[in-house]
Amino acid sequence: MWRRGWGEAMGELRDASIIAQRAADVLLRCGGGRSVLLRMPVPASAGDTTEQLGLAVPSFQDVVLEPVVFRKARATMADGKAAKSELMVSATAVNALVGSMGYSAANVLFATASGVLIDEVLMEIESATESEVGGATYVYRLVLRAPLALMV
């Protein structure tokens, strides 16, 4: 009976994860792919006395996330509760942001974000989950909540 070596099996898993990431990017682009903005707080400035006293106005920066697919959630809404939507985000784009912005992981990036700006509407990130192959994430699923003011 033939048995594969450890290195060969790990190489196949690595290849599978790369293929899954590339396939997810292509599917997101072809499936109505678009770009949205992730609203992030600007890091505090060291030595700024107005910031140390709590007098500085918080600042935000918008960073582009693409490719993404945005859709309304299937669940029906209850009275007085905000509508929910889903955002499927390329892991390639998220990994690039995590690295360039100095975060330790994607879940920290999403927890720090003030929301996602879609068509001039800032939506709150309610939850973030990931799908993975071979230990590597290929897509993130964000559940977003619309502001209650838009429910009228």
Side-chain angles (χ1 to χ4, degrees):
M1 177 181 262
W2 182 76
R3 298 178 91 178
R4 291 184 297 184
W6 175 256
E8 186 177 336
M10 291 308 294
E12 287 179 12
L13 281 176
R14 186 182 63 249
D15 292 345
S17 64
I18 292 169
I19 291 168
Q21 286 177 342
R22 290 181 181 165
D25 288 350
V26 169
L27 289 171
L28 289 171
R29 287 185 202 289
C30 294
R34 60 179 294 179
S35 63
V36 297
L37 299 173
L38 185 65
R39 182 152 292 170
M40 300 296 297
V42 173
S45 303
D48 185 2
T49 50
T50 57
E51 190 142 334
Q52 290 176 1
L53 294 172
L55 301 174
V57 177
S59 299
F60 296 92
Q61 63 182 343
D62 293 335
V63 292
V64 177
L65 270 181
E66 64 179 349
V68 303
V69 171
F70 176 68
R71 66 181 184 163
K72 300 286 183 199
R74 291 186 199 120
T76 56
M77 296 183 320
D79 289 336
K81 293 195 175 183
K84 292 185 182 177
S85 302
E86 294 179 334
L87 189 67
M88 303 299 285
V89 184
S90 162
T92 306
V94 172
N95 293 340
L97 274 180
V98 167
S100 68
M101 298 186 84
Y103 288 97
S104 58
N107 60 351
V108 177
L109 175 80
F110 294 131
T112 306
S114 299
V116 178
L117 193 62
I118 301 172
D119 299 329
E120 303 299 321
V121 175
L122 185 62
M123 303 182 85
E124 179 184 352
I125 300 172
E126 191 171 280
S127 67
T129 56
E130 57 192 41
S131 295
E132 60 181 46
V133 168
T137 302
Y138 62 92
V139 71
Y140 289 92
R141 177 182 169 264
L142 304 179
V143 175
L144 305 174
R145 185 172 43 230
L148 284 174
L150 296 177
M151 299 293 299
V152 206

